[in-house]
């Protein structure tokens, strides 16, 4: 068919055929891994692809299945999504005597269940009245998050790193945790609070963020590990990689999702120090947090998220140059080693492995969306070929133990299905609904809330650090309805009282805000209704319709 078209149409046609072919290969990769987990490892947390069996790793609740659930929907498999969502409701129990990572349980389990809940309508599941403000997967996410709350019951507000899901925090639990383990909760916990109306989750996440903010050094940096009780830094290496990475990520994404100036201000202050002290020739090194002197001249594979994060802020020139540095390492080894010595241009001893991480692919997806440069598609092709040739086994895909000789390790992390394959797929599907693709009438958006008064799924999804997409419109929808119900109750109460007994509006303000705002779920103490500082402000979701850019609201 392509041969009879004009040259431009021929190129476009063939480009689409190539993209469809790559998408087909990525789907095949997913199902080889997914079916291998179901056949050999379920109900364990993870698959062991060399011995074709399973193991519990992060908490004994079928972690891979929870982590992969929204990927099924992203790939278009509604039937399996419905089956697994029902299966998880029947089989997963968080009331168990298990020590679980607070950080990992939040990003993988709470985040995965929230995302699946918000995508359930698109998957064709039967929805409860009032969805997305109610639903079984939302209740599961809330149940899992409540099991984590005892970790936040500290004098500083910063959480312990581990909690027993049945008994809470052990008296012998270490108070030392990584920076990301303190600052990576605002996306999931704010989503929970605004969907359910329970402010507890968002409050503890904000308290932890503000406590961590106060511990930065005189030159504006934070270290790697902190004693959450004494607020003393145990590991004073400052950088953007392991142990710190998602803290910075959540300041940016939280500011976008919540339209929050405070979070954005925090990141900008950190970024100024990061650029001043850790950036060298578009690499980011590790430095001593108080002095700014180089402590580790290495690139860590987890740092590869940074170009994508920079693109969200519009810092494309810097993002592109840093991405090219990281991509050069990938081309050298066919993957990103956990540690790479920048001066030596080689792997670091005992850090030569590649556990099929997604971060460079994630950045490629964001940068391709921002620039349209096919360099990022080439990275996707390289990643697809490398993983297939190096890591594929008869029972899934295995962690690469050593990129120098391609030895394999007997583990397939759940993030391979949740993140790596998802970002690969989205890189090659620019019209996907998660990118805001689709046209009117093809299900690119959906109704929700009481009486179907909310427009959901129309774009602007925010990915948590485990690649679970969250819809900001749902947060606004539920918090708005809660506010409307409260206002209606106040009106009915005032009408039921004699005129002389009608309460007068309070004159005082709470925490510097009008009382009506301080009672709002959507607006927290310290926030105010003002034009956001972000580069892409959105119309309120109460705007019902727009034609050729003209917005028609309820009052039009």
């Amino acid at each position: 068919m392509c041969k009879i078209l004009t040259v431009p149409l021929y190129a476009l046609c063939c480009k689409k055929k190539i993209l469809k072919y790559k998408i087909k290969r990525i789907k095949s990769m997913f199902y080889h891994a997914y079916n291998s987990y179901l056949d050999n490892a379920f109900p364990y947390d993870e698959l062991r692809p060399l011995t074709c069996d399973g193991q519990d790793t992060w908490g004994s609740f079928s972690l891979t299945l929870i982590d992969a659930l929204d990927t099924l929907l992203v790939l278009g498999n509604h039937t399996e999504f419905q089956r697994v969502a029902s299966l998880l409701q029947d089989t997963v129990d968080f009331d168990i005597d298990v020590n679980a990572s607070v950080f990992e349980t939040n990003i993988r389990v709470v985040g995965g269940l929230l995302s699946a809940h918000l995508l359930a309508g698109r998957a064709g599941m039967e929805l409860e009245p009032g969805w997305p403000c109610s639903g079984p997967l939302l209740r599961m996410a809330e149940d899992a998050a409540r099991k984590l709350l005892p970790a936040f019951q500290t004098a500083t507000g910063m959480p312990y790193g581990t909690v027993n899901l049945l008994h809470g925090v052990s008296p012998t639990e270490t108070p030392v945790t990584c920076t990301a383990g303190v600052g990576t909760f605002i996306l999931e916990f704010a989503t929970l609070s605004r969907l359910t109306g329970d402010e507890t989750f968002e409050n503890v996440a904000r308290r932890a963020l503000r406590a961590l903010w106060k511990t930065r050094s005189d030159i504006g940096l934070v270290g790697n590990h902190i004693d959450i009780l004494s607020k003393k830094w145990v590991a004073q290496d400052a950088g953007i990689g392991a142990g710190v990475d998602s803290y910075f990520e959540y300041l940016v994404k939280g500011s976008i999702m919540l339209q929050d100036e405070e979070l954005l201000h925090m990141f900008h202050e950190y970024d100024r120090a990061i650029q001043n002290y850790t950036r060298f020739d578009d690499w980011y090194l590790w430095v001593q947090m108080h002095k700014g002197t180089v402590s580790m001249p290495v690139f860590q594979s987890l740092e590869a998220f940074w170009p994508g994060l920079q693109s969200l802020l519009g810092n494309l020139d810097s993002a592109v140059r840093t991405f090219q540095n990281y991509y050069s390492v990938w081309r050298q080894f066919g993957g990103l080693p956990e540690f790479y010595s920048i001066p030596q241009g080689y792997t670091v001893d005992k850090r030569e492995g590649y556990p099929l991480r997604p971060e460079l692919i994630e950045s490629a997806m964001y940068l391709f969306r921002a620039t349209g440069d096919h360099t990022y598609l080439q990275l996707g092709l390289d990643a697809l070929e490398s993983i297939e040739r190096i890591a594929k086994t008869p029972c899934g895909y295995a962690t690469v133990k050593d990129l120098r000789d391609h030895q394999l390790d007997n583990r397939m992390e759940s993030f391979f299905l949740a993140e790596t394959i998802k970002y690969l797929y989205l890189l090659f599907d620019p019209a996907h609904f998660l990118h805001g693709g689709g046209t009117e009438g093809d299900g690119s958006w959906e109704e929700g809330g009481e009486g179907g008064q909310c427009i959901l799924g129309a774009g602007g999804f925010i990915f948590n650090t485990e690649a679970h997409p969250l819809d900001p419109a749902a947060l606004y929808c539920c918090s708005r309805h809660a506010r409307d119900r409260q206002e209606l109750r106040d009106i009915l109460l005032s009408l039921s009282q004699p005129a002389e007994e009608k309460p007068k509006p309070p004159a005082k303000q709470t925490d510097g805000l009008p009382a009506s705002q301080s009672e709002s779920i959507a607006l927290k103490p310290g926030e105010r209704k003002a034009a956001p500082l972000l580069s892409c402000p959105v119309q309120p979701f109460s705007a019902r319709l727009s034609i050729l850019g003209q917005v028609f609201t309820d009052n039009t």
Side-chain angles (χ1 to χ4, degrees):
M1 177 181 177
C2 288
K3 293 182 180 179
I4 64 174
L5 300 175
T6 62
V7 172
L9 289 178
Y10 172 79
L12 178 61
C13 175
C14 292
K15 175 185 175 182
K16 288 183 177 180
K17 290 182 69 175
I18 291 172
L19 290 178
K20 287 182 179 180
Y21 172 69
K22 298 305 178 186
I23 285 174
K24 184 177 180 180
R25 286 189 62 190
I26 295 165
K27 281 187 175 182
S28 177
M29 174 185 287
F30 173 83
Y31 286 113
H32 177 64
Y34 177 77
N35 291 331
S36 294
Y37 167 78
L38 289 180
D39 294 341
N40 300 286
F42 178 78
Y44 290 103
D45 280 343
E46 291 179 355
L47 169 70
R48 299 204 304 172
L50 300 184
T51 53
C52 299
D53 56 14
Q55 62 180 346
D56 283 332
T57 51
W58 294 112
S60 188
F61 25 64
S62 305
L63 181 63
T64 293
L65 208 55
I66 295 175
D67 232 0
L69 181 54
D70 59 14
T71 308
L72 288 166
L73 189 279
V74 170
L75 269 59
N77 193 337
H78 296 185
T79 301
E80 182 66 1
F81 180 99
Q82 295 175 23
R83 186 190 76 83
V84 173
S86 299
L87 177 65
L88 291 173
Q89 294 171 47
D90 294 336
T91 60
V92 173
D93 181 12
F94 299 115
D95 196 25
I96 52 177
D97 187 7
V98 167
N99 293 324
S101 164
V102 180
F103 170 84
E104 298 290 353
T105 303
N106 175 58
I107 66 170
R108 303 192 195 207
V109 178
V110 178
L113 291 170
L114 284 173
S115 176
H117 163 71
L118 294 174
L119 296 173
R122 193 177 292 271
M125 294 190 68
E126 183 177 351
L127 302 176
E128 292 184 0
W131 175 90
C133 314
S134 65
L137 294 174
L138 175 60
R139 288 189 287 275
M140 286 184 69
E142 183 180 5
D143 185 25
R146 288 198 185 281
K147 294 294 185 179
L148 306 181
L149 288 180
F152 291 83
Q153 296 172 4
T154 64
T156 63
M158 293 187 283
Y160 285 95
T162 302
V163 67
N164 184 281
L165 299 183
L166 190 62
H167 303 296
V169 177
S170 169
T172 60
E173 177 62 29
T174 175
V176 176
T177 191
C178 68
T179 308
V182 175
T184 308
F185 295 92
I186 191 63
L187 291 184
E188 298 84 3
F189 276 29
T191 298
L192 263 178
S193 284
R194 301 194 184 197
L195 294 182
T196 65
D198 186 344
E199 298 183 0
T200 302
F201 302 104
E202 184 170 350
N203 287 343
V204 299
R206 286 189 180 276
R207 186 178 179 222
L209 282 174
R210 288 165 179 158
L212 189 56
W213 169 250
K214 294 176 181 178
T215 66
R216 65 195 187 282
S217 70
D218 291 340
I219 61 174
L221 296 172
V222 288
N224 197 271
H225 280 72
I226 191 171
D227 185 314
I228 61 160
L229 301 182
S230 68
K231 297 187 286 188
K232 294 186 181 300
W233 287 100
V234 176
Q236 298 187 2
D237 298 299
I240 61 170
V244 186
D245 48 358
S246 55
Y247 171 42
F248 298 138
E249 178 186 0
Y250 272 41
L251 291 178
V252 173
K253 292 182 176 180
S255 72
I256 297 172
M257 186 176 80
L258 305 174
Q259 294 288 283
D260 191 297
E261 297 177 15
E262 179 186 12
L263 301 182
L264 188 63
H265 168 72
M266 288 180 179
F267 178 80
H268 280 320
E269 291 297 309
Y270 280 129
D271 191 44
R272 186 176 295 111
I274 288 168
Q275 301 301 325
N276 285 340
Y277 294 101
T278 75
R279 182 179 173 185
F280 294 87
D281 293 332
D282 297 308
W283 296 95
Y284 290 85
L285 312 184
W286 289 83
V287 302
Q288 211 283 337
M289 65 176 288
H290 295 288
K291 301 176 182 178
T293 53
V294 175
S295 58
M296 290 191 297
V298 300
F299 156 60
Q300 298 179 354
S301 61
L302 284 169
E303 297 172 14
F305 83 102
W306 188 258
L309 192 70
Q310 290 284 297
S311 76
L312 291 178
L313 295 165
N315 301 329
L316 288 180
D317 289 343
S318 173
V320 166
R321 291 193 298 269
T322 298
F323 181 90
Q324 290 298 334
N325 283 343
Y326 298 168
Y327 189 14
S328 70
V329 178
W330 182 288
R331 290 195 296 265
Q332 185 177 351
F333 296 101
L336 290 185
E338 294 287 70
F339 281 34
Y340 176 84
S341 171
I342 297 170
Q344 297 176 357
Y346 206 64
T347 61
V348 174
D349 187 40
K350 299 181 180 179
R351 294 292 189 272
E352 305 93 348
Y354 170 56
L356 310 183
R357 292 197 186 277
E359 282 76 17
L360 192 62
I361 302 167
E362 173 188 1
S363 283
M365 182 199 76
Y366 281 116
L367 286 169
F368 181 62
R369 294 288 300 166
T371 68
D373 188 336
H374 283 213
T375 297
Y376 307 109
L377 293 181
Q378 186 60 53
L379 177 278
L381 295 176
D382 291 349
L384 184 59
E385 294 296 334
S386 293
I387 293 171
E388 284 284 354
R389 293 182 181 183
I390 299 172
K392 189 173 184 178
T393 74
C395 291
Y397 294 85
T399 289
V400 182
K401 185 177 182 179
D402 193 329
L403 278 169
R404 297 171 302 178
D405 57 14
H406 297 166
Q407 292 182 56
L408 299 181
D409 201 5
N410 195 19
R411 187 176 186 185
M412 187 181 79
E413 292 247 24
S414 68
F415 60 65
F416 178 63
L417 294 175
E419 299 185 77
T420 307
I421 291 180
K422 184 183 294 164
Y423 282 134
L424 258 181
Y425 187 88
L426 292 174
L427 172 62
F428 287 102
D429 188 2
H432 198 277
F433 76 86
L434 286 176
H435 295 314
T439 57
E440 183 179 358
D442 70 353
S444 58
W445 58 269
E446 52 194 332
E447 295 180 350
E450 296 181 0
Q453 296 181 2
C454 295
I455 301 299
L456 306 176
F461 287 90
I462 300 296
F463 292 91
N464 86 335
T465 198
E466 192 76 3
H468 295 306
L470 303 172
D471 186 359
L475 279 63
Y476 180 87
C477 175
C478 296
S479 57
R480 173 193 171 198
H481 285 157
R483 185 168 64 251
D484 289 348
R485 286 193 298 269
Q486 182 61 48
E487 291 175 355
L488 179 60
R489 282 193 293 267
D490 292 343
I491 292 172
L492 292 176
L493 179 62
S494 67
L495 292 175
S496 67
Q497 296 175 341
E500 64 274 13
E501 297 181 10
K502 287 183 180 180
K504 295 181 180 180
K508 66 177 183 178
Q509 295 182 351
T510 303
D511 292 335
L513 292 174
S516 62
Q517 290 190 20
S518 66
E519 294 169 0
S520 165
I521 293 175
L523 292 171
K524 303 301 176 185
E527 295 178 350
R528 57 187 186 277
K529 289 184 177 179
L533 297 177
L534 305 174
S535 58
C536 300
V538 297
Q539 285 287 340
F541 286 97
S542 58
R544 294 285 188 266
L545 178 67
S546 64
I547 300 176
L548 297 178
Q550 176 63 49
V551 177
F552 296 87
T553 65
D554 294 336
N555 300 323
T556 301

